[in-house]
Amino acid sequence: MSFTGVMRPGHAAIRVLDMKESLEYYQERVGLIKTDEDKQGRVYLKAWDEHDCFSIVLREADSPGIDYMGFKVHKESDLDEFEGKLKDYGQNVERIPAGELNRCGERVRFDSPSGHTFELYAEKEQVGNGLGRQNPDPWPEGLKGMKVYRFDHCLLYGSNAQGTADLFMDVLDFDLTEQVVTPDGNRIATFMSCSNKAHDIAILEHPEPGKLHHVSFMLMSCEEVLNAADIMGMHGISI
């Protein structure tokens, strides 16, 4: 694990085809909690054990996918440092003002060789997990569906995935935790971490740029995973 300015995945902004159906899925089945909605119609959600006010942002659109993935950095000065490094590396970088996402501070947004957009931020309003900090209960009452604990990682597909992997390791100081290499030496899948997890982001080679394979949420045990599978079976959710 490398102790750097990038701490962990913070949010994923997802395009959905039908907001009503998507909210039923994410709230009633996955178990996320709605915390906000903005004038653009974007809906903000969090897992129950997250203290930040959101980790998932949904936007209704004509095509599904991911708009961007955000990572939390340790402090505001890290934004300046990484902005300079990203520009030196040749990436297009944009400053997004505080408040463009509700209750989120200023963000540094940048492109990548695989066609994905990423961003860094340092500040986001904390709302807690509903349990308090003194003699907390194990979980709050009224949780729904799979009762996921937190947003964990994204797996992305795109052209020149190796270029994006190199960007994360060379500029953002992510560690390589696992890779898939063809017999002729081409790296076609890269798993990377900025924490003590197996991976915080994974990127796989794919002919089309900017594709999303999955957004992952954490459960604590095999029994909870089996319970989630039963919920998927009960409600006809495609695997």
Side-chain angles (χ1 to χ4, degrees), residues 32-200:
L32 299 184
I33 299 166
K34 180 179 176 180
T35 58
D36 211 342
E37 184 171 352
D38 63 25
K39 294 179 180 179
Q40 299 181 40
R42 296 177 298 186
V43 176
Y44 299 72
L45 302 152
K46 68 181 285 293
W48 76 262
D49 204 25
E50 294 173 332
H51 287 259
D52 286 353
C53 56
F54 67 87
S55 58
I56 298 296
V57 182
L58 302 182
R59 177 175 74 87
E60 191 169 84
D62 294 332
S63 62
I66 185 166
D67 283 334
Y68 49 82
M69 182 181 181
F71 293 85
K72 182 175 176 59
V73 300
H74 182 62
K75 55 187 184 298
E76 287 285 343
S77 60
D78 291 329
L79 295 179
D80 298 325
E81 179 181 352
F82 284 119
E83 180 180 25
K85 289 181 177 180
L86 287 162
K87 288 180 177 178
D88 291 343
Y89 203 75
Q91 304 312 124
N92 296 309
V93 181
E94 179 184 6
R95 282 272 184 164
I96 309 298
E100 194 279 333
L101 281 176
N102 282 5
R103 299 193 276 181
C104 185
E106 190 176 26
R107 293 127 66 204
V108 170
R109 180 176 291 173
F110 59 97
D111 64 0
S112 68
S114 59
H116 298 93
T117 299
F118 300 98
E119 57 185 35
L120 308 173
Y121 71 95
E123 299 294 335
K124 187 182 288 182
E125 182 180 330
Q126 291 197 341
V127 297
N129 63 2
L131 298 175
R133 297 182 182 273
Q134 181 173 328
N135 301 330
D137 293 326
W139 58 79
E141 297 284 357
L143 296 178
K144 297 179 179 180
M146 302 173 193
K147 305 180 180 69
V148 296
Y149 289 78
R150 60 170 169 78
F151 165 47
D152 190 81
H153 68 266
C154 287
L155 190 151
L156 307 174
Y157 279 14
S159 53
N160 196 3
Q162 183 166 323
T164 296
D166 290 340
L167 167 66
F168 268 75
M169 292 186 286
D170 293 344
V171 179
L172 303 180
D173 298 323
F174 276 60
D175 288 325
L176 172 67
T177 60
E178 190 174 352
Q179 60 183 333
V180 178
V181 181
T182 63
D184 57 358
N186 290 321
R187 189 173 70 216
I188 59 172
T190 309
F191 298 78
M192 297 166 288
S193 178
C194 61
S195 66
N196 60 355
K197 288 157 52 184
H199 56 274
D200 292 302

